[in-house]
Amino acid sequence: MDLGLTGKTAVVTGGSSGIGLATVSLLLEEGCRVALCARNADRLDSVRDRLAERFGAQAILARACSVLDAEEMAAFAGEVEDTFGGADLLINNAGQGRVSTFADTSDEAWRTELDLKFFSQIYPTRAFQPMLQSSDCGAIVGVNSLLAYQPEIHMVCTSAARAGVQNLLKSLAVELAPDIRVNSLLLGVVISGQWERRFEARPDQNQSRQDWFREQALSKNIPLGRFGEPEEAARAIVFLGSPAASYITGARLELSGGVSRFV
Ligand code: NDP
């Protein structure tokens, strides 16, 4: 199947690590030009240099900025327009989860988490909306979590914020139609930096990586018996954002190894 991405321009927030980085790589493999952003300039530069060796520097634009800063997002969008002449696809991926129960979440933590989850969608969407509207295949993919539908008490504010974001994305799918499709990905657990750090800090340092991750997956009752890989999430994101998904909007795709319990 041809995804129809050759020659298109994609923007990936949080593209320097994990799922975002896997998505950037796959989009480049599919023949896209890709603009990516993240806050840590050193990590972003080294990612850009590695990608440029494989795909050529002219296909990549990397900008150190925060999705939580409206002015920085506007400047990033301006740079993408100057460099690539527009944008066809926006992947709102930047972010992280917060582990805390209701009892140990302060007011400030609630505000920080709600701010991160909502504005990491709002500011990039607002900044890139005019370019996406001018595209003949404008699309947004919001990277979200299964917590939106299946809250966990040890991630109380992330769960609540994820539910709100899911609601927002549904509204956007209607308001931005027919010019821009908006879909979401509901992630279960995908191996990324935070899980690698937990593995490094495992109590039994003799336990192998494979055994430790298998044990974690079993404890979470994941039917497929393992965590997801960033490349698996990237394939779902790239499909949803591609012209091959041209009649899909307002949809959610679960990528969790079957861990949801709702029908
Ligand atoms: P990583 O920590 O590997 O990557 C997160 C990326 O986001 C990094 O590039 C980081 O770079 C960037 N980032 C974070 N905050 C900002 C910001 N304010 N502005 C710009 N960039 C930012 O995480 P994952 O790949 O695991 O996660 C990707 C997305 O998926 C996140 O939104 C996460 O919450 C979500 N998710 C992940 C799950 C999982 O199991 N992995 C489960 C559910 C949801 P830098 O720090 O330099 O800014």
Side-chain angles (χ1 to χ4, degrees):
M1 177 172 67
D2 178 8
L3 294 178
L5 284 166
T6 309
K8 304 296 184 197
T9 298
V11 179
V12 182
T13 68
S16 65
S17 166
I19 295 164
L21 176 55
T23 303
V24 169
S25 301
L26 186 53
L27 287 164
L28 288 164
E29 279 171 26
E30 288 294 319
C32 283
R33 291 167 296 209
V34 182
L36 60 148
C37 73
R39 294 162 303 176
N40 183 318
D42 291 342
R43 180 163 67 166
L44 192 66
D45 287 349
S46 98
V47 161
R48 184 205 47 219
D49 292 347
R50 272 187 281 134
L51 292 169
E53 276 176 26
R54 280 176 66 199
F55 301 102
Q58 70 289 345
I60 302 157
L61 170 66
R63 169 63 45 215
C65 57
S66 172
V67 290
L68 299 184
D69 186 315
E71 286 180 12
E72 288 184 6
M73 276 299 105
F76 179 42
E79 203 176 348
V80 171
E81 187 158 36
D82 291 345
T83 309
F84 294 139
D88 304 291
L89 167 58
L90 170 65
I91 314 292
N92 286 328
N93 164 76
Q96 61 192 32
R98 177 182 288 270
V99 177
S100 64
T101 62
F102 185 73
D104 56 34
T105 307
S106 67
D107 290 358
E108 194 189 346
W110 272 102
R111 290 200 181 91
T112 303
E113 185 62 357
L114 293 171
D115 204 52
L116 171 64
K117 292 296 177 291
F118 280 98
F119 284 95
S120 62
Q121 302 287 333
I122 293 168
Y123 287 150
T125 298
R126 197 179 278 150
F128 286 94
Q129 187 181 341
M131 282 186 267
L132 297 173
Q133 255 155 354
S134 301
S135 164
D136 59 0
C137 58
I140 296 172
V141 180
V143 176
N144 206 9
S145 161
L146 197 56
L147 295 174
Y149 293 91
Q150 194 160 285
E152 298 273 0
I153 57 169
H154 71 283
M155 295 187 78
V156 67
C157 55
T158 295
S159 298
R162 292 294 193 191
V165 165
Q166 200 59 20
N167 190 290
L168 166 65
L169 292 171
K170 195 75 173 175
S171 293
L172 284 176
V174 177
E175 185 171 333
L176 303 187
D179 299 328
I180 306 173
R181 295 181 303 105
V182 182
N183 292 295
S184 59
L185 188 69
L186 300 181
L187 295 172
V189 183
V190 172
I191 295 174
S192 65
Q194 65 172 340
W195 283 101
E196 295 291 357
R197 283 191 294 278
R198 284 182 203 174
F199 165 66
E200 295 300 336
R202 66 199 180 284
D204 176 5
Q205 288 287 314
N206 291 323
Q207 193 173 21
S208 71
R209 188 175 185 283
Q210 195 184 14
D211 285 350
W212 187 83
F213 274 107
R214 192 184 297 123
E215 192 177 283
Q216 297 300 313
L218 281 175
S219 74
K220 291 181 176 297
N221 294 317
I222 300 173
L224 291 189
R226 62 177 179 84
F227 289 176
E229 298 289 340
E231 292 73 21
E232 293 177 305
R235 288 200 289 272
I237 292 168
V238 169
F239 168 69
L240 279 179
S242 76
S246 51
Y247 201 54
I248 303 177
T249 197
R252 57 182 205 236
L253 177 59
E254 179 182 331
L255 190 124
S256 72
V259 85
S260 65
R261 291 293 176 266
F262 53 88
V263 178

